[in-house]
Amino acid sequence: MEICPLAGALGAEIHGVDLRKGADWNGIHQAFLQYAVLAIRDQQLEPADIMKVGARFGEPCHYPFVTGMEGFPYLFEVVKEPEDKKNFGGAWHSDTTYLRQPPLATLLYAVETPSHGGDTLFANTAAAYDALSDGMKKTVDALIGVNSAELKYAGGRTAQHGKIKAMKIHDTESADQYLSEHPLARTHPETGRKALYASRSHTTHIKGMTEEESAPLLNYLFQHQIRPEFTCRVRWAPGTLTVWDNRCTQHNAVNDYHGQRRRMRRLTVGAQTPQ
Ligand code: SIN
């Protein structure tokens, strides 16, 4: 197994492993903790194989707004067709932080990819936390963020996801009922590192403050944590499986491939209460 870092802050490519045949799982787990985003190249994974790989990281989690694949309720397809303009996941976020116990990891497997474009950006929110001043760390450490599934910043989930015709989206009208409070800076249970845990997609305000009062600090953190030096970029090819750590990263699916199809399979695992 060869591990090649993708950027200074986070991310690595893994070559020379066939996950169906077995792997150095301890080595992969160590790399996951060290790099937070692993793009494992040249796999040939059927849905059952993705479930098996996911089980190495945690129990599967249910995604409330997209129907799973036939026989695989936890695994769903993320699809953008040539005629679609909107994509899924095209804004900075950590996955489903509006749940009380969000998933520790997401697995995304590329089935069909555009000839170019359709990359996913990642940001290391632990590095972003480390770069704050002591005063700002102290402020953030004391605050709780309120997270909603409603995608308020983008005009609402129904309006946004209604434009994604190729996916089996449902129940978006109930998105405003998914609300969770989590620390603005959480501590990674395995590495002990603190990481910012707020995103423009899901964090609407700070507990005990109005949205207007919260906005200046939140907007600062949203911009700070995606500074180029905290990021990496995964370029996809069919057969790439990327696994990322939602506890210390955010991601953004770049929507720059209109006229081409992109089809991925996505699984989240390891429900965990952010502390
Ligand atoms: C997601 O946000 O889960 C999807 C990311 C992607 O399609 O690159």
Side-chain angles (χ1 to χ4, degrees):
M1 178 166 87
E2 197 191 352
I3 301 175
C4 310
L6 278 172
L10 82 170
E13 288 190 341
I14 295 195
H15 299 271
V17 61
D18 180 345
L19 295 175
R20 287 171 315 173
K21 295 196 174 140
D24 169 9
W25 288 108
N26 188 40
I28 289 178
H29 187 70
Q30 288 312 314
F32 176 70
L33 294 180
Q34 182 173 351
Y35 296 103
V37 175
L38 299 179
I40 307 170
R41 301 294 189 184
D42 305 317
Q43 303 303 304
Q44 286 190 315
L45 302 178
E46 294 302 323
D49 301 317
I50 301 174
M51 295 306 299
K52 277 189 203 151
V53 176
R56 297 275 174 181
F57 293 87
E59 293 288 317
C61 298
H62 172 68
Y63 185 76
F65 305 113
V66 183
T67 307
M69 293 177 71
E70 186 76 40
F72 297 93
Y74 299 105
L75 186 65
F76 68 83
E77 293 212 323
V78 174
V79 190
K80 183 170 179 247
E81 293 289 357
E83 59 276 15
D84 291 339
K85 289 284 175 273
K86 172 100 184 97
N87 72 337
F88 178 87
W92 284 103
H93 64 287
S94 174
D95 283 327
T96 52
T97 62
Y98 44 81
L99 298 179
R100 200 170 48 80
Q101 291 198 304
L104 73 88
T106 301
L107 291 82
L108 193 66
Y109 179 68
V111 180
E112 279 180 78
T113 55
S115 59
H116 55 282
D119 300 351
T120 305
L121 305 175
F122 292 90
N124 182 335
T125 53
Y129 176 87
D130 287 346
L132 295 173
S133 64
D134 288 346
M136 183 57 103
K137 282 183 186 144
K138 213 170 156 194
T139 303
V140 166
D141 285 349
L143 297 173
I144 302 288
V146 181
N147 297 270
S148 161
E150 182 50 4
L151 303 180
K152 272 191 185 176
Y153 78 106
R157 186 173 283 266
T158 299
Q160 280 308 302
H161 281 184
K163 296 179 196 156
I164 306 178
K165 300 288 180 224
M167 289 178 62
K168 295 181 180 164
I169 290 174
H170 58 74
D171 283 339
T172 52
E173 322 71 48
S174 64
D176 59 355
Q177 292 166 29
Y178 289 82
L179 280 177
S180 270
E181 296 177 357
H182 298 305
L184 271 195
R186 65 180 291 181
T187 304
H188 195 294
E190 292 177 86
T191 65
R193 276 183 89 181
K194 280 206 159 176
L196 291 173
Y197 197 60
S199 72
R200 197 178 292 289
S201 294
H202 300 320
T203 312
T204 55
H205 61 285
I206 294 165
K207 187 178 177 182
M209 296 187 196
T210 65
E211 289 184 20
E212 290 71 21
E213 288 167 343
S214 311
L217 177 58
L218 288 180
N219 283 331
Y220 172 75
L221 296 175
F222 297 159
Q223 279 310 118
H224 165 78
Q225 66 194 356
I226 58 166
R227 275 167 36 186
E229 64 270 33
F230 304 142
T231 69
C232 75
R233 185 172 190 123
V234 169
R235 184 162 192 185
W236 296 93
T240 295
L241 174 75
T242 298
V243 188
W244 62 82
D245 190 332
N246 282 307
R247 300 167 292 188
C248 56
T249 66
Q250 294 203 9
H251 57 282
N252 185 343
V254 183
N255 191 9
D256 62 349
Y257 55 99
H258 296 331
Q260 300 191 66
R261 175 180 293 120
R262 181 179 185 267
R263 189 156 69 92
M264 324 289 271
R265 290 180 179 154
R266 179 189 183 280
L267 172 68
T268 50
V269 294
Q272 216 168 56
T273 305
Q275 307 279 357

